[in-house]
Amino acid sequence: MQGVERGDRELLDAEALVGHLVPAGSMFAFLAGHRRNLFPDGEFEDLFPSGKGRPSIPASVMASILVLQTLHDLSDRETAEAARCDLRWKVATGMALDDKGFDPSTLVYWRKRLATSGRPHRINDAVRTVVEETGILRGRRKRAVDSTILADAVATQDTITQLISAIRRVDRQVPGAAGQIAKVCTGHDYSRPDKPRIDWDDPAARDALVSALVNDANALVAALADTELEGDAEFALALLALVAGQDVEPAEGSDGTDGRWRIARKVAPDRVVSTVDPDARHTRKSPENRRDGYRAHVAAEPETGIVTDEKVTTAAGTENSDPAVAEEFLDAEDGKRAWYGDSAYGTGDLRGGIDDAGHEAVIKPKPLRAPVEGDFTVDDFTVDEQAGTVTCPNDITRPISRTRVATFGALCRACSLRAQCTTSKTGRKIVLHPRDDLLRQARRDWADKPELRESYRTFRPNVERVISQIASRGGRRLKLRYLGTGKNNAWLKRRTAALNLRNLIGRGLTHTAGAWTLAT
């Protein structure tokens, strides 16, 4: 059943005895005085529908602990130790000095209850309510978007480790799989916990092992193909099929039908990097910076630093790209906004969404690349949407196809400007985005309007400070502690809630006469 905080204080109440040691204006002091206003018991009643059993830790206490845990980036064990031994935590949560605290598994219990409830992000929602009541965002129409890569909580696995782990997972989770593994999997003894015993310095031995493991995986998938599965069992078999194909290719001189395979000389674009956390992905923030993990997307009001929306996605895939998630943030906002973003957000689709919604885009255009360095770009071609034509710098006009391609082809052969336009033997081809007009106008505005560039330089960089606060703690880059997109998204929601709350506390947040107000 749900526990509630006592109205009277205990004999060794930490706030009464040592509360004066906690710095005023800190998160600890704020929670000591306002946790019950911020996280009232009534907002958590649905987590305990039966009303039976021992009373839980009060919701206001546990919500405060989850906020502090996320803000300070502590493990469950470190959090339990802090609640037992740190006077600041005892003051913040209303504990007595001799309170022994709780077992670390209690945090898992509460996170699971929240995740399976109808309002899994209610801690974040509570802080958003405070933000709205204070009016800090009233009249502020700017939003800046950015993203960062967060390292996953698992080790990146090589192909051989993934294949063996995936087969063992099928053995554990699929009914009847053990018998099929014993029958069709002959390339390795999957009951052994150690690595295969081969000469790892011999390329032929490694290729032979890869072939054996891939053939075992394919044989096991085929043997279980007609078995009706659901839940974890279905996922385990699907994961095995995926890892058996994502990293391998037929060996040299083979088409794959003879069972000879090798590790592919490339990286699959949506590669699963670990069977322990199948949602983690390879990604890049730049050509030189390859990382594994998840992508955290954020929208913030740049003048105050208040985070207005956030989302964790897998780090690969068009649907998880910066502009795709920014469109989701756009749809969630009421009223007109000015959206600030770097060139990664300068796609035609996002600009179209912003324009269609009546918003303003203050987004740096993506740089144009000419086929011949320093010469004609697509902006040197004149597009007539009404006539459905494209005219090149030499006044040659071609129609726009249904797929929005203008092909100059053989007309380029005798063109006097060919050396400045293309190096292709088949001539120049112009591919137009459906919102090409917005892309062209954005490039013109960026070049012709210094006030646009000045506004970008003034407000867009502020979101990088927000990103830094989310992704680091004490100068150390954070590493995610949870597996899967859902749990890490819940972590990000709590993280931005804690940061927003700290931001408001720094502005003098208080609760008086039943309302949240700011001193500044």
Side-chain angles (χ1 to χ4, degrees), residues 427-459:
R428 187 72 180 263
K429 180 169 65 176
I430 301 296
V431 180
L432 300 175
H433 189 276
R435 306 309 294 266
D436 178 71
D437 57 331
L438 292 178
L439 293 172
R440 288 171 178 266
Q441 185 62 51
R443 292 191 289 268
R444 287 193 295 268
D445 289 345
W446 190 258
D448 298 340
K449 296 180 178 180
E451 66 275 12
L452 181 68
R453 300 193 299 273
E454 181 61 27
S455 179
Y456 175 87
R457 285 192 293 265
T458 300
F459 298 111

Side-chain angles (χ1 to χ4, degrees), residues 33 89 104 516:
W89 284 62
W516 293 103

Side-chain angles (χ1 to χ4, degrees), residues 72 88 105 114 120-121 170 177 193 228 289 305 321 326 343 444 478:
H72 293 274
R88 298 171 303 170
S105 62
L114 286 169
H121 308 306
V170 170
E228 293 188 8
N289 185 13
S321 66
S343 59
R444 287 193 295 268
L478 299 187

Side-chain angles (χ1 to χ4, degrees), residues 3 22 98 112 130 138 171 179 197-198 221 227 244 249 307 353 380 395 402 411 431 449 452 475 520:
V22 177
D98 60 345
K112 186 174 181 180
V130 174
R138 194 171 299 128
D171 185 19
R197 297 180 178 181
I198 66 167
V221 170
T227 306
E249 62 186 9
V307 177
D380 295 305
D395 289 332
R402 287 186 305 163
L411 296 174
V431 180
K449 296 180 178 180
L452 181 68
T520 58

Side-chain angles (χ1 to χ4, degrees), residues 259-318:
R260 293 190 297 120
W261 303 90
R262 69 179 183 184
I263 297 176
R265 271 52 172 176
K266 59 183 180 180
V267 177
D270 195 29
R271 182 180 187 269
V272 172
V273 300
S274 171
T275 57
V276 179
D277 187 358
D279 287 348
R281 291 290 187 274
H282 282 311
T283 189
R284 295 178 185 269
K285 279 295 281 184
S286 68
E288 300 81 19
N289 185 13
R290 194 192 79 175
R291 301 175 64 185
D292 296 334
Y294 292 82
R295 190 178 294 270
H297 305 264
V298 173
E301 199 291 310
E303 294 181 277
T304 62
I306 293 293
V307 177
T308 59
D309 214 339
E310 64 284 297
K311 184 178 183 181
V312 165
T313 66
T314 58
T318 304

Side-chain angles (χ1 to χ4, degrees), residues 477-495:
R477 186 82 181 179
L478 299 187
K479 185 173 183 178
L480 293 170
R481 297 181 180 275
Y482 308 104
L483 306 181
T485 305
K487 290 181 180 179
N488 285 314
N489 187 54
W491 170 86
L492 179 62
K493 295 282 186 180
R494 293 193 300 273
R495 178 78 176 166

Side-chain angles (χ1 to χ4, degrees), residues 85 337 392 423:
C85 303
R337 300 280 185 266
C392 78
T423 58

